[in-house]
Amino acid sequence: MSVAELFNPRSIALVGATDKSGWSVSTLANLREHGFPGPVHLVNPRGGMVHGSPAYRSLAEIPEPVDLAYVMVPTAAVLGVLRDGAKLGIRSYVVLTAGFGESGEEGARLEAEIAAFAAEHELTILGPNGNGYINAAAGITPYGLPIQKPLLRGAVGVVLQSGALASSVLAFAQARNLGVSLLTSMGNETVVSVTDVVDYLVGDPATKVIALFLESIRNPAEFSRVARRALEAGKPIVALKIGRSKLASHTAQAHTGALVGDDDVIDAALRQLGVIRVRSLEDLIITAGLLASTGPLPGRRIGVVTPSGGASEIIADRAEDEGLELPPFAPETVARLREIVPAFGTVQNPLDVTGYVLIDRTLLGRALEVVTADPGIDIVMLLSEPPRVEPADPAPTFALYSASAQRIAASPVPVVVVSNVLTDVTAFGRRVQQETGYPYIAGGIEHGLHAIGAAVRWSETRARLLSRSPAVSPAVSPAVPAAVPGGARGVWAEHRAAALLASAGLPVVPSDLVRDEDAAVAAAGRFGYPVVLKVAAEGLGHKSDIGGVRLGLGGDEDVRQAYRSLAEAVPAMEGVLVQPQRGGGIELLVGIVRDPAWGLTLAVGLGGVWVEVLRDAALRVLPVDAAEVRTALSELRGAALLKGVRGGEPADLDAVADVVARVAAFAETLGDGLESLEINPLLVTGSHVEALDALVTWTPDIS
């Protein structure tokens, strides 16, 4: 399969061309009007004249080679077209026709036949049930809906799992004067998948940024591979992934199951892969456009230059939402700005140069030049609108934007231009930008600051991930675990789960499993008082829910009474765990759940009873190393607790991250039978880290 050949044909045949089809009319018009340089052959079984040109009755009648067949025939006839084309050596196809897997059982059967035939004959097929593609960079546009003029060529590759939205996305990009390199409507992905197209775009010199609209991620492993490749190549992926509704967890026994939903896992996976996730089509295109214009951004410290005090306040609020900093200007910057800004203005960041820009048209540009030289600024945000209406004498407008473009190009730090609101760029505004070299303008303060924040986070993530070894491994490798018994199934309560963890050298509170009062008293004597008694029973998950825990036992008689009361409360108990009681410190949850798509997923957060009250957890798809665990801990709303508050002892985050990474690595050694592993709580007291309770759940079908 060659995706590059699919997107770069030298000749095209429209199979099923007919004057009765709007798809056929639009596809031919797009190819003729947007620069396709090669021949376009029309195929209709009746021959004759179609769209004003002679039509061939079959592919076999075409007297020259065909690189791409664009198929618009009825559903049942598609496979026949593929058979005819394969005999003629045609390897690339776009199948517009619907009625396959999306339509029911019979359609799915027909689609399976196409997939099998394509695999047998090494065919590259985009679709079925898709609109085709627009290779704007090369002027190749086999696309079934009308393309608005002008078709803008740019550096953003767009891949959509929605045919209906493709034209709207293209129209919005062009309305914001943003060109695309390639836009693809994927259809059913019978042969060519989203990841195949992303892989192509990573190597495409015309593409700087990849924008995705995703209904599903069908092959997480393959998606991860191409996302990492894009990250290494410095090509940001911006994704709008829909379907954020919560689904019931498949893991009922573990607290972790309530924290890990399908979308939560996807969100964590995308962050780890450096994929920027956005929440709207507008943010998808605006963020991609900004990154195509700026590339990586060097930091979070933003200097703002604007002619509006009201806008300055909006920017300050939104910058804080995005985690961006607006540091005070350096003294030398303030001094230089006071020479420029009118006396009634206030020199601060954000900088309002005031409405005096209507009198002095150079004021905004001169202030920009000063702010870009500030040593404490990483990025400058310039609030500026493209011109909308062409004046009688446009020369001053061109001169003004040309001078500003030169200042931006000469700036020692990136300058991001943002308009006040999200409006279309007019034909005159587009012309001014093109002829003066004025940069991309992000549409609207809201979307613009979201895009800046996303770009900064992507830049930081990329730098962090590329600084690590490609092979992610825990800081300290766990010991080889004891063999898991072949009959492992169901829920392993604490006495079995803790023993499993301890067998790998992980820190677990010492305990003795006893089966009578005297043994309980003897164990307590060995540990020293106070102690804890916990009921042990087959398949018992949460002991406290049934009164199966006794705390703060200070003497032999307390232990005897506690043992008797547990036996009464849980008649089926196998025995009692005796443990030394731990106090103080910070309780964390460390949970690992197997997601059906992404595999083992780590949740780390505040533990004990707080896991159910606060639901404060950070997620990561395995594998992770200690550095990634530290990053996850910093994302918790309760992260300040780990640093020590109100005189509390701060946690040794390196020690915590090391233990959590080792637990995660150990979970990966347990094989496909592991459904979940949970430690709650993991007690952290300074540099001492210890599991106080554990639970392991195995999949029902493990042998």
Side-chain angles (χ1 to χ4, degrees), residues 348-546:
Q348 62 182 23
N349 189 18
L351 175 66
D352 170 18
V353 299
T354 78
Y356 201 74
V357 292
L358 297 175
I359 299 173
D360 181 357
R361 301 292 297 276
T362 70
L363 175 57
L364 194 67
R366 290 186 292 127
L368 172 67
E369 192 169 11
V370 173
V371 173
T372 58
D374 189 294
I377 298 297
D378 299 315
I379 308 161
V380 174
M381 174 179 168
L382 173 65
L383 206 66
S384 176
E385 300 283 347
R388 297 189 61 79
V389 179
E390 183 173 0
D393 180 9
T397 300
F398 278 92
L400 179 67
Y401 278 84
S402 180
S404 186
Q406 291 174 23
R407 285 191 173 98
I408 292 170
S411 170
V413 297
V415 176
V416 178
V417 185
V418 179
S419 61
N420 283 287
V421 294
L422 181 56
T423 56
D424 292 356
V425 178
T426 65
F428 178 63
R430 183 182 300 118
R431 182 178 146 213
V432 169
Q433 283 189 264
Q434 290 171 342
E435 294 185 17
T436 65
Y438 199 80
Y440 170 77
I441 302 174
I445 295 172
E446 169 68 25
H447 297 290
L449 274 166
H450 179 80
I452 293 172
V456 167
R457 290 188 290 274
W458 174 81
S459 303
E460 292 174 345
T461 299
R462 181 173 186 265
R464 185 176 74 250
L465 294 180
L466 293 186
S467 68
R468 299 182 189 172
S469 169
V472 178
S473 57
V476 179
S477 299
V480 177
V484 178
R489 65 179 66 248
V491 177
W492 279 16
E494 180 179 358
H495 61 292
R496 299 180 75 184
L500 184 65
L501 294 173
S503 72
L506 295 165
V508 179
V509 64
S511 63
D512 274 355
L513 177 62
V514 300
R515 304 185 187 279
D516 58 56
E517 293 179 30
D518 292 338
V521 170
R526 290 192 297 274
F527 290 133
Y529 290 103
V531 295
V532 177
L533 264 60
K534 302 177 182 178
V535 68
E538 182 69 27
L540 178 60
H542 304 302
K543 299 173 288 295
S544 57
D545 292 348
I546 60 169

Side-chain angles (χ1 to χ4, degrees), residues 290-303:
L290 183 144
L291 277 160
S293 175
T294 66
L297 295 177
R300 292 177 171 263
R301 300 174 301 173
I302 312 296

Side-chain angles (χ1 to χ4, degrees), residues 126-195:
L126 179 63
N129 187 33
N131 292 329
Y133 67 84
I134 299 169
N135 185 346
I140 304 171
T141 54
Y143 184 73
L145 295 174
I147 301 173
Q148 296 180 12
K149 294 181 180 179
L151 175 58
L152 303 180
R153 293 164 171 80
V156 177
V158 183
V159 187
L160 301 108
Q161 286 179 328
S162 170
L165 289 177
S167 292
S168 296
V169 168
L170 179 64
F172 177 71
Q174 297 193 166
R176 290 303 310 163
N177 199 29
L178 175 65
V180 301
S181 56
L182 176 76
L183 181 143
T184 307
S185 170
M186 295 304 305
N188 291 5
E189 299 182 58
T190 303
V191 177
V192 176
S193 67
V194 165
T195 50

Side-chain angles (χ1 to χ4, degrees), residues 7 35 38 48 82 104 206 224 228 241 300 308 368 428 440 491 498 607 645:
F7 292 139
L82 299 180
S224 298
R228 291 190 185 98
K241 169 65 179 70
R300 292 177 171 263
S308 168
L368 172 67
F428 178 63
Y440 170 77
V491 177
V645 294

Side-chain angles (χ1 to χ4, degrees), residues 4 34 57 80 145 267 279 309 350 414 418 441 447 459 488 508 587 604 622:
H34 294 287
R57 286 176 295 179
L145 295 174
D267 211 44
R279 302 298 186 188
V418 179
I441 302 174
H447 297 290
S459 303
V508 179
E587 294 185 345
V604 59
L622 301 191

